[in-house]
Amino acid sequence: MMPGASAIDGGTRFAVRARDASAVWLCLFDGDAERRLAMQRAGDWFAMDVAGVGPGQRYGYRADGTGRWFDPAKLLVDPYAVELDRRFVWSADLNRFGCDTARLVPKAVVPAPPPPVTTGPVRFDPGGLVYEVNVRGFTMLHPDVPEPQRGTIAALAHPAVIAHLRKIGVSAVELMPIVAWIDERHLPPLGLRNAWGYNPVVPMAIDPGLAPGGVGELRETIAALHAAGIGVVLDLVFNHTGESDVDGPILSLRGLDDRSYAHAPDGSLINDTGTGNTLDAGDAGVRDLIVASLRHFAALGVDGFRFDLAPVIARSPGFDRHAPIFAAIASDPMLADRVMIAEPWDIGPGGYQLGNFPTDWLEWNDRYRDDVRRFWRGDGSAAVLATRLMGSADIFGRCSRSVNFLAAHDGFTLADLVAHVDRHNYANGEDNRDGHGDNLSWNHGVEGRSDDPGVAAARAADLRAMLATLFATRGTIQLTAGDEFARTQRGNNNAYAQDNALGWVDWAGRDVALEDFIAGLAAWRRARPSVSDPVVPEVVEWRTLDGRAMTAADWEHPGCAGFELWLDGAVVRIDRAARMVMLG
């Protein structure tokens, strides 16, 4: 059974999984007029061939049956939809039984036949720089991008944007979620909306607000980035959907096939994600949907994928590094060479799995983040820093799979890390209770203030020291957009709801000197591939700051605050007392 809407001679075949439904209707829309057609059961699926229907037709489903979530009044989005006619908008009516939602829910659009797949080789340097990008926030304030194009995927292909990426040595952009999402229900009453996209409804349809040109816009942007030597990684969310908890909206899977969500023995929703529900990747249909989504984006030229709360996809119910999803991805000819990156933790039992994903997956390394912060804050170990510098062999072995980062979309920006001890999230409307409470951060002088020249100089030194450490680290490194020129969110360490100037990248306020410093770091790293090589060499020379060979006693001494690394002609000198890293 080919799921979704697929072309047949003279029309379109529609198919949707609804195991427990007693009836499913295909709903075809012409303007506001709706035509309902009863679909035929085929095992766990309902299907129908409709003559005379082709690309551009807007459609949805309705379902009925015995169970909590079946409600024929609810228009349901095809889980396999690849295009929607508009964005999702929250309304309490989306959860009210018997309340028709056709006026509220986006309609799926029958897609045109895709062009032939010509993806070419994967563009990803395992020792390169990944650049994490919030697509909308990245260009909303960019002065060189035409105003109608700002905040869209197409803006990433603008020559000024590509020139900036090349200047700082980006080898791949990692786009935060671009598939259509819905606001969490508490945001609209606060006048806020989700700015990050980690609340998707269906996994393949690109949010129309980010890509007015649909999949073609994404394909053309990928081609432009590839032409500049820059790969594209998508951050995808397969751990939950925006249908949330029992008070959440009925939009797609919940109204069609609620068994796609993980349930406890008493029937309640398991919440290993902290968002109200958890998709059950132990279910073969969910795995098929995940693989189909990856194939869809790979066919558009995407080079790799980052999996949000990745242990969820390998739970049923406990984490298993040999879970079926890994074999399904590895055996797929379109996916086998794509780059797979795990965020290796969730909030469920046994949810911290750093180092436990398959050996051909990369993993976000929060141990790197925390240990580098501790060292430069003044209470971390030089020996531990050296281990992180060499790719965290204590976690990954001699071939590092670590994605090394100092800051990410969640948490303080890099500049805020050295200016704030406490979070300042009052603008989020949750009385400053949201976001991480312990950020391993510090500040010189008055919190947040930078008008004292001495304070500004101290913070600048700390930023440069941490960034130089990052660029001297073995394996993949990552920056979040704007951290290269000291972007601030004024101490907000959870700006997911700030689709405004607080969360947007401030191009006018760039610290150009820091940006130039990073360009120099990138050139140094690029010229010394032995430094970035994920494979740890057999012989590494470590020296004390006064030139002696490091001994065990030196490493263990509580006053050890630096060292030199000598490797194949490259020298890295780390001196915490001087707040400095020298690269040679």
Side-chain angles (χ1 to χ4, degrees):
M1 182 70 65
M2 178 69 73
S6 53
I8 58 173
D9 287 343
T12 299
R13 173 169 295 155
F14 298 88
V16 64
R17 190 170 78 149
R19 286 173 283 187
D20 299 323
S22 59
V24 175
W25 295 270
L26 170 67
C27 306
L28 302 177
F29 288 87
D30 181 6
D32 293 332
E34 176 183 350
R35 178 164 61 113
R36 299 187 191 183
L37 304 172
M39 303 179 76
Q40 293 79 46
R41 179 180 283 280
D44 289 341
W45 293 76
F46 284 77
M48 168 170 267
D49 293 351
V50 185
V53 166
Q57 173 66 55
R58 298 156 62 241
Y59 73 98
Y61 299 114
R62 297 180 188 268
D64 200 2
T66 302
R68 174 181 296 191
W69 301 114
F70 286 115
D71 180 0
K74 295 292 178 286
L75 185 71
L76 304 170
V77 178
D78 186 350
Y80 278 80
V82 297
E83 185 178 348
L84 301 178
D85 66 349
R86 54 195 170 90
R87 307 184 88 172
F88 286 95
V89 177
W90 165 257
S91 168
D93 288 347
L94 295 170
N95 184 262
R96 291 194 178 107
F97 187 83
C99 183
D100 194 288
T101 58
R103 73 190 191 284
L104 299 170
V105 175
K107 283 71 177 176
V109 179
V110 175
V117 176
T118 55
T119 57
V122 171
R123 283 83 165 178
F124 190 86
D125 176 1
L129 172 63
V130 176
Y131 190 69
E132 187 190 36
V133 175
N134 177 328
V135 171
R136 178 170 163 80
F138 185 53
T139 58
M140 284 299 293
L141 300 176
H142 199 299
D144 297 325
V145 174
E147 191 166 345
Q149 198 179 60
R150 293 177 188 174
T152 69
I153 289 172
L156 301 178
H158 190 279
V161 171
I162 289 179
H164 177 75
L165 299 177
R166 289 175 59 87
K167 174 183 176 179
I168 62 172
V170 171
S171 58
V173 291
E174 181 178 292
L175 307 186
M176 289 167 60
I178 62 171
V179 300
W181 70 87
I182 190 168
D183 291 331
E184 292 82 353
R185 62 180 177 271
H186 71 281
L187 293 180
L190 297 171
L192 300 172
R193 59 186 182 185
N194 188 309
W196 286 355
Y198 289 97
N199 205 36
V201 178
V202 292
M204 282 182 261
I206 304 172
D207 192 281
L210 296 184
V215 293
E217 181 172 333
L218 177 60
R219 185 186 292 110
E220 291 167 7
T221 298
I222 291 171
L225 290 165
H226 282 174
I230 299 168
V232 178
V233 174
L234 294 189
D235 189 343
L236 296 178
V237 180
F238 295 122
N239 55 75
H240 78 284
T241 77
E243 291 183 297
S244 188
D245 56 20
V246 295
D247 295 317
I250 302 171
L251 297 167
S252 183
L253 283 173
R254 173 164 291 169
L256 289 164
D257 189 28
D258 183 53
R259 279 197 275 163
S260 297
Y261 294 108
H263 294 81
D266 65 359
S268 62
L269 288 162
I270 291 174
N271 188 20
D272 288 340
T273 63
T275 58
N277 65 59
T278 302
L279 282 172
D280 182 10
D283 180 271
V286 173
R287 290 199 302 274
D288 290 346
L289 179 59
I290 292 172
V291 171
S293 302
L294 299 176
R295 287 177 57 85
H296 168 68
F297 287 115
L300 297 176
V302 171
D303 301 288
F305 305 94
R306 183 261 190 190
F307 294 76
D308 182 63
L309 302 183
V312 167
I313 68 170
R315 281 179 178 274
S316 191
F319 177 84
D320 182 0
R321 73 181 304 173
H322 303 294
I325 188 64
F326 297 131
I329 292 172
S331 63
D332 190 289
M334 190 176 288
L335 302 177
D337 64 345
R338 303 291 115 170
V339 177
M340 304 292 164
I341 304 173
E343 180 186 39
W345 49 78
D346 61 36
I347 67 167
Y352 188 75
Q353 294 294 336
L354 179 65
N356 292 329
F357 279 75
T359 55
D360 56 348
W361 281 53
L362 301 178
E363 300 182 34
W364 271 31
N365 188 352
D366 63 326
R367 291 273 298 279
Y368 179 92
R369 175 198 67 197
D370 293 353
D371 288 335
V372 173
R373 289 183 182 187
R374 285 190 181 97
F375 178 83
W376 287 109
R377 188 173 67 170
D379 57 343
S381 161
V384 170
L385 180 69
T387 300
R388 300 289 160 256
L389 197 68
M390 295 305 291
S392 297
D394 59 330
I395 300 169
F396 299 107
R398 287 196 60 243
C399 185
S400 180
R401 299 185 292 108
S402 178
V403 176
N404 307 292
F405 65 102
L406 302 168
H409 63 272
D410 53 347
F412 282 140
T413 68
L414 191 61
D416 286 351
L417 184 69
V418 300
H420 297 275
V421 173
D422 301 313
R423 62 193 172 194
H424 298 276
N425 296 356
Y426 290 99
N428 296 351
E430 298 182 48
D431 199 26
N432 207 37
R433 293 188 301 269
D434 62 306
H436 297 294
D438 181 12
N439 296 273
L440 299 174
S441 58
W442 63 97
N443 70 291
H444 298 277
V446 178
E447 178 144 338
R449 293 275 301 276
S450 59
D451 49 355
D452 182 290
V455 168
R459 291 175 181 169
D462 286 350
L463 288 179
R464 283 164 169 74
M466 285 192 291
L467 287 163
T469 302
L470 179 69
F471 276 80
T473 299
R474 186 165 296 278
T476 306
I477 62 174
Q478 178 173 298
L479 273 179
T480 295
D483 279 350
E484 71 274 22
F485 45 71
R487 179 177 69 98
T488 179
Q489 290 174 171
R490 299 197 293 275
N492 189 317
N493 74 352
N494 190 34
Y496 79 101
Q498 300 301 320
D499 186 14
N500 50 47
L502 180 66
W504 298 341
V505 173
D506 179 11
W507 291 89
R510 291 153 60 197
D511 181 340
V512 178
L514 183 63
E515 181 182 316
D516 291 343
F517 175 76
I518 288 182
L521 294 177
W524 177 88
R525 182 178 175 90
R526 190 165 49 247
R528 293 161 178 81
S530 62
V531 171
S532 60
D533 188 342
V535 179
V536 180
E538 294 286 352
V539 178
V540 179
E541 185 178 355
W542 302 96
R543 299 183 186 179
T544 64
L545 294 178
D546 58 7
R548 294 183 294 103
M550 290 285 286
T551 66
D554 291 322
W555 286 118
E556 295 168 3
H557 193 284
C560 181
F563 51 81
E564 288 185 352
L565 164 64
W566 291 65
L567 175 65
D568 194 22
V571 180
V572 179
R573 179 183 173 88
I574 292 180
D575 185 348
R576 184 165 62 196
R579 316 301 292 175
M580 183 179 296
V581 175
M582 297 181 64
L583 305 178

